[in-house]
Amino acid sequence: MKSILTILLILAMGISSYAQNQNSEISIMKTEKPILIINDTIIGSVDLLNKISSDKVMELNIFKERKLGKTYLFIENEKNAGIIKANINHEFKIKSQKELNSFFGLSEENDIYVNGYLIENKNQNISSESIVGIKLIKADNFRVKKPVLNIEVE
């Protein structure tokens, strides 16, 4: 009887401690795909390579250990899936960083992150076909001092 009571007590303590965390999110580990940089100006998903014919791809370089930027928002961004740089003779639908910031009511010069990495080059655009989510991160004086956008690219 005491062992059943002890198990129930431990189970109740575990459930109640989890219930007190209002910001908890269950993250499902998924395999990350590398980020594609096209002609040094467009950031997109590696899936864009499947949407164009191979004769339009002039050059393709794979960097397994390279990250999109040195600054990242989340600890889990410390490990990454790499970068693919490509020179492609094709027109892509793009959104500039200024367009995205102004659409969300932010200053045009605010920082933008892609998959948690800061885009250091303000002239780089983001493929609108690759965007799967946009999250507005409010200023908290801990991670960021001004509100920023985190663009999720798959």
Side-chain angles (χ1 to χ4, degrees), residues 2 11 13 28-29 34 41 49-50 54 62 71 90 94 97-98 104 107 118 127 133 135 141 149:
K2 288 183 180 180
L11 185 62
M13 285 176 33
I28 299 172
M29 295 300 289
T41 59
L49 291 174
N50 296 331
S54 60
I62 300 171
T71 306
H90 182 75
I94 59 172
Q97 294 181 50
K98 290 181 180 181
F104 284 93
S107 169
L118 175 66
S127 166
K135 186 173 184 180
N141 290 328
L149 294 176

Side-chain angles (χ1 to χ4, degrees), residues 76-115:
E76 55 268 11
N77 286 114
E78 196 167 7
K79 48 188 181 285
N80 69 330
I83 289 180
I84 297 176
K85 284 191 163 195
N87 287 332
I88 299 174
N89 188 14
H90 182 75
E91 291 292 319
F92 293 95
K93 297 176 186 172
I94 59 172
K95 292 290 182 188
S96 71
Q97 294 181 50
K98 290 181 180 181
E99 287 177 313
L100 289 166
N101 276 326
S102 65
F103 180 79
F104 284 93
L106 302 175
S107 169
E108 290 183 353
E109 298 302 317
N110 276 23
D111 290 334
I112 289 192
Y113 291 76
V114 171
N115 290 359

Side-chain angles (χ1 to χ4, degrees), residues 29-33 81:
M29 295 300 289
K30 60 181 180 178
T31 57
E32 296 265 336
K33 294 181 182 179

Side-chain angles (χ1 to χ4, degrees), residues 41-52:
T41 59
I42 302 171
I43 299 172
S45 165
V46 73
D47 294 333
L48 289 175
L49 291 174
N50 296 331
K51 296 180 181 179
I52 59 171

Side-chain angles (χ1 to χ4, degrees), residues 37-40 56-60 85-89:
I37 299 177
I38 303 165
N39 303 333
D40 290 325
K56 293 185 178 189
V57 178
M58 309 308 223
E59 184 179 357
L60 195 66
K85 284 191 163 195
N87 287 332
I88 299 174
N89 188 14

